[in-house]
């Protein structure tokens, strides 16, 4: 398994470009199931999770191609197998996003339950309850969701989510796009990725209003046509690089990302004393966000919450920043029940963090020290990279396949900013026993 090695203590300076957002690209790809016409995607990131979703669509019989410019063509007119097998779903729980589109297009679906996840139980009960309200008959057995639509076509329904669910909102919005009648989603997710999906569905002919608010109205149509879709910027990736500049005492600009995607995060950085400058896209330039340290950051308290609150996907990265800030900060995680897996690894680097249920109290120290650490989940691994950039000495992060799920060419982009970082890919022959070696 690959590892990433970082020699810390070097300030990062310069400009990188944000990739397309993983969490927007995944539902956009699933939306191709809703039409038998070709769909073309632009700014598709090169990530393991995207490869998994493309494999899933191909496994259903779709014709999928991706060039190295981030352009993907999907044609599901040849799809005949409405399944998402365990072998694929176990590597990416967002595979569940094909459930609503498969039911809407084919009237049946067999999708593996995602199973456990490092950051929490992450059930999909709200997805299933919503689809049942729309006329699906669902059985869960042998680790699979077996769903059918006896009436042949889903019908509109009023669905009030008990909790805000991002992919739950996306799954049901896609199912409702082809349903007979009107669907109202109440307490819907307001994330920018949900709005990117709604915009994309509208460009395919869907009738959707209210996206970006807590109440979304979908008036089902009988069919959707193909379209050219563009993935929005990855706000979580962009914020991670801005944090890399700050934690290393540098000055980093991320291009092709709109500041209003990160209002809550940028507000907390300003509270911590960072200098934050933003620029909107114009005919002469792309949008951009610049962050630079003006001395040691001050400690700041955060509490994660659904958009437009502080993103849970930036909690681990912000904690890394607070590990070397002056003073103590309180970090509350309200979305997932086990999203502090990075804490034990940060402690190995000298961080002073006390956990009490879903609350972490971080006492900032002058400097972390490099150490061998282990990535446990996608955003936890990003926080270890940030800590390694700031630490004195060498940090070796193992199990970096977690990072590759959500960060495109991370060591290349950080190296571009001046980080001393490299990837180590062990060769299997290193462990092959030489012929002469005694058994
Ligand atoms: C999406 O996950 C994102 N993934 C996550 O990003 C993100 O952390 C999360 O939203 C919250 O913003 C994608 O978009 C692919 P939820 P999702 O449904 O939709 C509970 C990353 O690092 N819940 O909004 O799976 C759930 O357990 C990933 O890029 C139910 O109880 O999250 C959680 O406590 C990690 N029943 C809360 O709701 C359900 O049916 C919010 O989960 C669904 C969710």
């Amino acid at each position: 398994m690959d590892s990433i090695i970082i020699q810390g203590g070097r300030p990062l300076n310069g400009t990188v470009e944000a990739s397309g957002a993983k969490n927007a690209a995944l539902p956009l790809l699933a939306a191709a199931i809703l039409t038998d016409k070709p769909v073309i995607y632009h700014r598709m990131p090169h990530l393991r999770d995207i490869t998994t979703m493309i494999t899933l669509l191909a496994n259903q019989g779709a014709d999928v191609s991706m060039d190295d410019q981030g352009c993907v063509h999907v044609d599901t007119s040849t799809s005949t197998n409405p399944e998402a097998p365990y072998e694929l779903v176990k590597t990416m729980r967002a595979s569940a996003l094909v459930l609503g589109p498969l039911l809407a297009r084919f009237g049946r679906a067999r999708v593996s339950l995602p199973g456990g996840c490092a950051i929490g139980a992450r059930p999909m009960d709200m997805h299933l309850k919503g689809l049942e309200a729309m006329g699906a008959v669902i059985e869960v057995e042998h680790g699979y969701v077996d769903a059918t639509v006896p009436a042949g076509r889903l019908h509109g329904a009023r669905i009030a989510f008990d909790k805000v669910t991002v992919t739950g909102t996306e799954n049901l919005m896609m199912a409702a796009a082809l349903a007979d009648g009107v669907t109202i989603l109440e307490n819907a997710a307001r994330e920018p990725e949900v709005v990117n999906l709604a915009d994309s569905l509208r460009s395919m002919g869907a009738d959707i209003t209210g996206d970006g608010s807590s109440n979304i109205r979908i008036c089902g149509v009988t069919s959707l046509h193909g379209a050219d879709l563009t993935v929005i910027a990855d706000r979580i990736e962009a914020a991670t690089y801005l944090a890399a500049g700050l934690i290393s005492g540098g000055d980093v600009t991320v291009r092709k990302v709109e500041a209003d995607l990160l209002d809550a995060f940028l507000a907390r950085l300003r509270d911590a004393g960072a200098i934050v400058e933003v620029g909107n896209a114009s005919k002469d330039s792309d949008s951009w966000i610049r962050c630079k340290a003006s001395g040691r950051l001050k400690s700041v308290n955060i509490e994660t919450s659904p958009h437009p609150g502080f993103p849970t996907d930036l909690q681990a990265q912000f904690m890394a920043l607070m590990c070397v800030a002056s003073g103590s900060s309180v970090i509350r995680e309200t979305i997932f029940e086990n999203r502090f897996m990075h804490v034990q690894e940060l402690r190995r680097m000298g961080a002073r963090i006390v956990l009490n249920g879903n609350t972490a109290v971080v006492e900032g120290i002058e400097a972390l020290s490099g150490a061998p650490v282990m990535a446990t989940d996608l955003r936890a691994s990003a926080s270890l990279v940030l800590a390694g950039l700031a630490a004195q000495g060498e940090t070796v992060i193992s199990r970096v396949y977690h990072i590759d799920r959500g960060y495109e060419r991370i060591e290349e982009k950080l190296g571009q900013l001046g980080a001393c970082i490299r990837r180590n890919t062990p060769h299997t022959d290193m462990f092959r026993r030489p012929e002469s070696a005694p058994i």
Side-chain angles (χ1 to χ4, degrees):
M1 280 186 270
D2 288 7
S3 57
I4 281 183
I5 297 136
I6 300 171
Q7 297 297 336
R10 298 162 65 126
L12 269 60
N13 296 292
T15 300
V16 289
E17 188 173 304
S19 301
K22 166 181 81 81
N23 290 350
L26 292 170
L28 256 59
L29 285 167
I33 298 170
L34 293 168
T35 177
D36 61 1
K37 301 293 183 292
V39 181
I40 297 172
Y41 298 87
H42 304 282
R43 201 178 184 183
M44 186 61 67
H46 289 81
L47 298 169
R48 282 167 55 111
D49 276 10
I50 300 303
T51 304
T52 302
M53 182 61 87
I54 284 173
T55 305
L56 197 53
L57 295 174
N59 188 55
Q60 293 168 1
D63 180 26
V64 189
S65 63
M66 183 170 190
D67 69 17
D68 55 9
Q69 305 303 316
C71 191
V72 172
H73 292 244
V74 179
D75 179 347
T76 67
S77 61
T78 51
S79 296
T80 55
N81 173 30
E83 282 223 6
Y86 177 64
E87 307 77 66
L88 290 174
V89 176
K90 72 180 178 185
T91 65
M92 186 188 67
R93 58 183 314 101
S95 309
L97 280 165
V98 302
L99 180 58
L102 287 172
L103 277 181
R105 168 84 180 277
F106 298 108
R108 61 193 175 90
R110 188 167 190 273
V111 173
S112 168
L113 284 171
C117 166
I119 62 177
R122 301 185 73 184
M124 52 184 294
D125 53 304
M126 291 190 279
H127 299 235
L128 304 183
K129 198 171 141 194
L131 290 169
E132 285 174 332
M134 296 173 73
V137 171
I138 292 175
E139 286 181 17
V140 179
E141 55 182 9
H142 308 303
Y144 274 82
V145 172
D146 279 302
T148 56
V149 183
R153 186 183 179 193
L154 294 168
H155 59 70
R158 181 185 154 278
I159 299 161
F161 292 113
D162 301 334
K163 288 166 79 169
V164 173
T165 165
V166 174
T167 51
T169 299
E170 293 164 343
N171 226 336
L172 296 180
M173 189 160 70
M174 289 189 280
L178 289 179
D180 180 10
V182 174
T183 297
I184 304 289
L185 302 181
E186 292 179 357
N187 196 25
R190 300 171 57 190
E191 272 67 6
E193 293 76 24
V194 173
V195 175
N196 190 197
L197 176 62
D199 284 338
S200 300
L201 291 170
R202 275 188 288 265
S203 67
M204 295 167 68
D207 179 351
I208 300 174
T209 52
D211 46 290
S213 79
S214 300
N215 288 286
I216 302 176
R217 182 183 186 277
I218 306 105
C219 183
V221 295
T222 51
S223 68
L224 293 177
H225 51 71
D228 263 44
L229 308 179
T230 298
V231 180
I232 59 170
D234 193 320
R235 59 196 170 103
I236 306 302
E237 181 211 27
T240 305
Y241 288 115
L242 294 171
L246 290 176
I247 203 168
S248 64
D251 177 352
V252 168
T253 298
V254 180
R255 286 181 47 248
K256 290 192 169 182
V257 58
E258 295 72 26
D260 61 7
L261 294 175
L262 284 167
D263 282 343
F265 176 72
L266 297 178
R268 306 314 283 151
L269 291 188
R270 288 190 174 104
D271 292 344
I275 297 168
V276 179
E277 297 165 358
V278 303
N280 295 322
S282 67
K283 61 179 175 35
D284 305 322
S285 87
D286 299 312
S287 54
W288 51 272
I289 304 173
R290 178 183 179 189
C291 283
K292 60 181 177 178
S294 62
R296 191 174 174 195
L297 290 177
K298 293 177 288 193
S299 58
V300 164
N301 301 335
I302 62 162
E303 176 170 309
T304 63
S305 61
H307 194 78
F310 191 97
T312 175
D313 291 350
L314 288 174
Q315 177 259 107
Q317 298 91 316
F318 197 84
M319 185 182 287
L321 284 176
M322 293 297 100
C323 285
V324 291
S326 62
S328 287
S329 56
V330 177
I331 294 176
R332 272 193 81 224
E333 172 56 60
T334 70
I335 307 292
F336 292 108
E337 64 269 30
N338 189 36
R339 203 168 199 176
F340 284 142
M341 304 279 278
H342 41 288
V343 168
Q344 61 214 15
E345 299 304 309
L346 290 169
R347 283 176 180 150
R348 289 178 48 73
M349 301 176 74
R352 291 199 196 130
I353 307 168
V354 175
L355 287 182
N356 179 10
N358 70 344
T359 300
V361 178
V362 182
E363 183 194 342
I365 58 173
E366 287 282 341
L368 294 166
S369 58
V373 290
M374 186 173 74
T376 53
D377 58 87
L378 170 54
R379 306 307 175 182
S381 27
S383 81
L384 298 180
V385 170
L386 294 177
L389 292 170
Q392 292 167 342
E394 180 175 274
T395 297
V396 181
I397 303 170
S398 59
R399 300 192 180 184
V400 291
Y401 57 84
H402 288 293
I403 296 179
D404 295 335
R405 292 189 50 203
Y407 289 89
E408 189 174 18
R409 301 179 285 108
I410 192 166
E411 67 271 18
E412 194 179 303
K413 289 192 176 183
L414 288 174
Q416 208 180 304
L417 294 170
C420 180
I421 181 171
R422 65 184 171 84
R423 177 182 293 257
N424 176 46
T425 303
H427 299 291
T428 47
D429 56 11
M430 275 170 63
F431 304 102
R432 182 174 299 133
R433 188 188 307 280
E435 292 314 311
S436 58
I439 300 295

